[in-house]
């Protein structure tokens, strides 16, 4: 088995359009939530989201490329370009046949699908679809586009496991390198779900916060008065590389992937198991592969979306796993700042986790003014401001509709 390290990262998020901007937003406790600008929300129960800010796609692509691609594909290319640039792989001679892409999205090209169907419904002269309609909506289009741009001819596909999708992608990329099937893998996820159907659909499920009078603080994990998650958009990309391959070219190493686990709750189509049984199982798998116990994890970036049931089930899983002893573990919920990027959540949260490990700084959970009385005691949740802490092992949790659970464990790199 080969060791797998992280040599590049790229982020496009509601609180920063690069990794460094994203990290600055996290450590400053910046909320990305504001009124939706993409469409008229006057008839919607939820009128806010965590949109990208200060970004012009024409700064990154020509108009033809923009017309031919859904935003979720364009977001993937922006984040993957930053990851490639930070990795030092640009201009380096390496085996493109053993370099691949595993990309994730829970929704695919929902923006394009909605636009085309609405146009079709209004048409009085028969169906008139864009010739790019089908490739624009496919969930695997970004993995192909990223491979084409970088000439990566190896393993290539898309993972879809709802909000666990990009952590599933990271796990798969890690495994292929670990097994010797690849030297370099570009992995992550992208999402552009802030649409009429996206907001309306989640509203119908009563999953979104409706705190329209105070959107900035609407995402409030663990708070007694939380009322749902806040939709986010963007992308996160990571370069995973076989250790010796990275060392031979003198790459900067941001950390090491040492464990990953996936499971299913087998409980409900959308709700998490109240005791977090599936989440606990996935964490157990990841910890076993890493060869450590939960008490050796210094920091965990929790899935914690700010939903009444989900936040508690994750804490219940941690308590059960540790048998009530979590003396060393510090946790936080960065969705309080970024909102929930659905299939891309795991990728940006993996980046947040790796940066926390590199900087010895735990990003905060913001907006939580009164902790839910039902929350088990003994969990050290970082509230309000970032906290300095030496982090040798860190864990990133993601869970999704369908009962999907995906966990990744990272270790501070040492020779």
């Amino acid at each position: 088995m080969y060791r797998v390290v992280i040599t590049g990262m790229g982020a496009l998020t509601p609180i920063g359009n690069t990794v460094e901007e994203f990290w600055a937003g996290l450590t400053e406790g910046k909320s990305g939530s504001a009124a939706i600008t993409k469409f008229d929300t006057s008839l919607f129960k939820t009128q806010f989201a965590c949109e990208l800010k200060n970004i012009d796609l024409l700064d990154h692509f020509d108009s033809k490329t923009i017309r031919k691609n859904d935003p979720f594909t364009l977001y993937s290319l922006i984040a993957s370009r930053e990851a490639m640039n930070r990795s030092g792989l640009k201009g380096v001679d390496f085996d493109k046949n053993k370099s691949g892409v595993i990309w994730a999205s829970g929704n695919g090209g929902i923006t394009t699908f909605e636009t085309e169907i609405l146009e079709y419904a209004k048409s009085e002269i028969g169906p008139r679809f864009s010739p790019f309609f089908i490739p624009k909506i496919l969930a695997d289009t970004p993995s192909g586009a990223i491979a084409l741009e970088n000439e990566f001819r190896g393993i290539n596909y898309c993972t879809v496991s709802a909000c666990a999708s990009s952590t599933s992608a990271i796990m798969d990329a890690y495994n292929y390198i670990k097994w010797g099937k690849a030297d370099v893998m570009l992995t992550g996820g992208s999402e552009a779900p802030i649409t009429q159907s996206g907001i309306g659909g989640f509203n119908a499920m009563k999953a979104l916060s409706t705190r329209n009078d105070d959107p900035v603080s609407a995402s409030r994990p663990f708070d007694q008065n939380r009322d749902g998650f806040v939709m986010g958009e963007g992308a996160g990309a990571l370069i995973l590389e076989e250790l010796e391959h990275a060392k031979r070219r003198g790459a900067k190493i941001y950390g090491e992937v040492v464990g990953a686990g996936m499971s299913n709750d087998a409980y409900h189509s959308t709700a998490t198991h109240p005791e977090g049984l599936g989440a606990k199982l996935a964490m157990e798998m990841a910890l076993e592969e890493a060869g450590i116990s939960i008490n050796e994890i210094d920091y965990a970036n929790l899935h914690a979306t700010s939903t009444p049931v989900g936040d508690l089930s994750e804490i219940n899983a941690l308590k059960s796993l540790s048998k009530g002893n979590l003396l060393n573990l510090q946790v936080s919920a960065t969705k309080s700042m970024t909102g929930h990027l659905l299939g891309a959540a795991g990728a940006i949260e993996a980046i947040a986790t790796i940066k926390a490990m590199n900087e010895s700084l735990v990003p905060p959970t913001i907006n939580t003014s009164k902790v839910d009385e039902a929350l088990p005691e003994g969990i050290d949740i970082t509230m309000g401001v970032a906290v300095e802490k030496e982090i040798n092992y860190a864990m990133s949790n993601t869970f999704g509709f369908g009962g999907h659970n995906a966990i990744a464990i990272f270790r501070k790199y040492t020779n």
Side-chain angles (χ1 to χ4, degrees):
M1 295 292 182
Y2 297 89
R3 290 173 66 183
V4 182
V5 294
I6 303 106
T7 57
M9 299 184 290
L12 180 63
T13 80
I15 59 171
N17 297 337
T18 65
V19 168
E20 295 310 322
E21 287 181 8
F22 172 48
W23 179 245
L26 289 176
T27 56
E28 292 165 9
K30 179 180 179 181
S31 172
S33 183
I36 291 171
T37 64
K38 295 177 182 294
F39 59 91
D40 180 4
T41 63
S42 57
L43 299 178
F44 287 77
K45 293 178 182 177
T46 295
Q47 300 172 354
F48 58 92
C50 288
E51 295 181 337
L52 295 175
K53 300 166 186 68
N54 304 316
I55 184 164
D56 185 345
L57 292 177
L58 286 169
D59 291 338
H60 299 269
F61 309 100
D62 58 39
S63 57
K64 181 179 179 182
T65 300
I66 293 172
R67 285 197 307 274
K68 290 173 64 175
N69 290 281
D70 188 87
F72 92 111
T73 297
L74 299 173
Y75 297 167
S76 77
L77 289 168
I78 293 170
S80 63
R81 286 172 182 176
E82 183 189 5
M84 283 294 291
N85 287 334
R86 290 171 66 94
S87 74
L89 283 167
K90 300 292 285 186
V92 173
D93 184 22
F94 61 100
D95 190 352
K96 302 293 183 70
N97 293 335
K98 291 196 71 177
S99 303
V101 182
I102 303 177
W103 200 258
S105 180
N107 290 269
I110 189 173
T111 303
T112 295
F113 190 85
E114 177 180 291
T115 300
E116 292 280 330
I117 294 301
L118 288 175
E119 287 298 315
Y120 169 67
K122 292 189 297 185
S123 175
E124 296 180 354
I125 57 174
R128 296 186 63 182
F129 289 94
S130 163
F132 304 115
F133 175 48
I134 298 302
K136 285 175 73 173
I137 68 172
L138 294 177
D140 67 328
T141 294
S143 66
I146 294 167
L148 178 62
E149 185 164 278
N150 294 287
E151 299 181 321
F152 283 8
R153 293 181 290 272
I155 297 154
N156 191 291
Y157 60 91
C158 172
T159 58
V160 180
S161 51
C163 302
S165 295
S166 50
T167 303
S168 300
I170 292 167
M171 178 176 179
D172 283 6
Y174 159 63
N175 282 333
Y176 280 117
I177 297 173
K178 184 180 69 174
W179 297 332
K181 301 290 186 182
D183 294 330
V184 174
M185 293 296 297
L186 200 162
T187 186
S190 56
E191 211 75 270
I194 305 173
T195 64
Q196 296 178 73
S197 53
I199 297 296
F202 278 105
N203 267 158
M205 296 177 66
K206 299 182 179 179
L208 295 180
S209 170
T210 56
R211 199 179 289 270
N212 294 314
D213 59 338
D214 186 18
V216 171
S217 66
S219 184
R220 44 180 59 207
F222 312 117
D223 191 86
Q224 185 75 37
N225 298 311
R226 64 192 184 281
D227 68 330
F229 74 85
V230 179
M231 188 82 80
E233 63 176 351
L238 298 95
I239 304 291
L240 303 191
E241 194 167 349
E242 192 275 318
L243 174 59
E244 296 304 320
H245 188 276
K247 287 169 66 175
R248 281 195 297 272
R249 65 181 189 85
K252 179 177 180 179
I253 295 174
Y254 295 94
E256 183 173 1
V257 189
V258 292
M262 285 196 287
S263 71
N264 195 275
D265 286 347
Y267 170 75
H268 190 273
S269 61
T270 56
T272 55
H273 191 285
E275 298 303 317
L277 295 187
K280 177 186 175 185
L281 176 60
M283 285 188 268
E284 285 175 333
M285 292 176 178
L287 290 163
E288 181 180 4
E289 184 169 48
I292 60 173
S293 73
I294 186 65
N295 294 315
E296 292 175 85
I297 297 290
D298 300 301
Y299 168 61
N301 188 301
L302 300 186
H303 182 68
T305 61
S306 189
T307 57
V309 176
D311 292 3
L312 290 178
S313 68
E314 185 171 11
I315 297 297
N316 285 334
L318 282 168
K319 290 286 287 187
S320 175
L321 182 63
S322 67
K323 298 180 174 59
N325 178 24
L326 288 170
L327 297 179
N328 191 49
L329 179 62
Q330 195 126 8
V331 305
S332 67
T334 52
K335 287 186 183 72
S336 58
M337 294 171 275
T338 65
H340 191 358
L341 271 66
L342 307 181
I348 67 163
E349 287 160 18
I351 292 167
T353 305
I354 294 161
K355 284 292 290 182
M357 193 167 60
N358 277 248
E359 304 295 335
S360 299
L361 191 65
V362 175
T365 306
I366 66 169
N367 302 327
T368 302
S369 56
K370 183 181 180 183
V371 176
D372 191 337
E373 294 174 355
L375 204 70
E377 295 180 356
I379 302 293
D380 189 357
I381 303 172
T382 305
M383 295 291 191
V385 295
V387 173
E388 292 184 3
K389 180 174 183 174
E390 183 68 21
I391 301 170
N392 293 305
Y393 284 97
M395 181 168 69
S396 179
N397 293 355
T398 48
F399 314 127
F401 285 175
H404 304 293
N405 306 295
I407 311 294
I409 296 177
F410 305 100
R411 178 170 63 196
K412 184 172 289 186
Y413 174 69
T414 57
N415 293 322

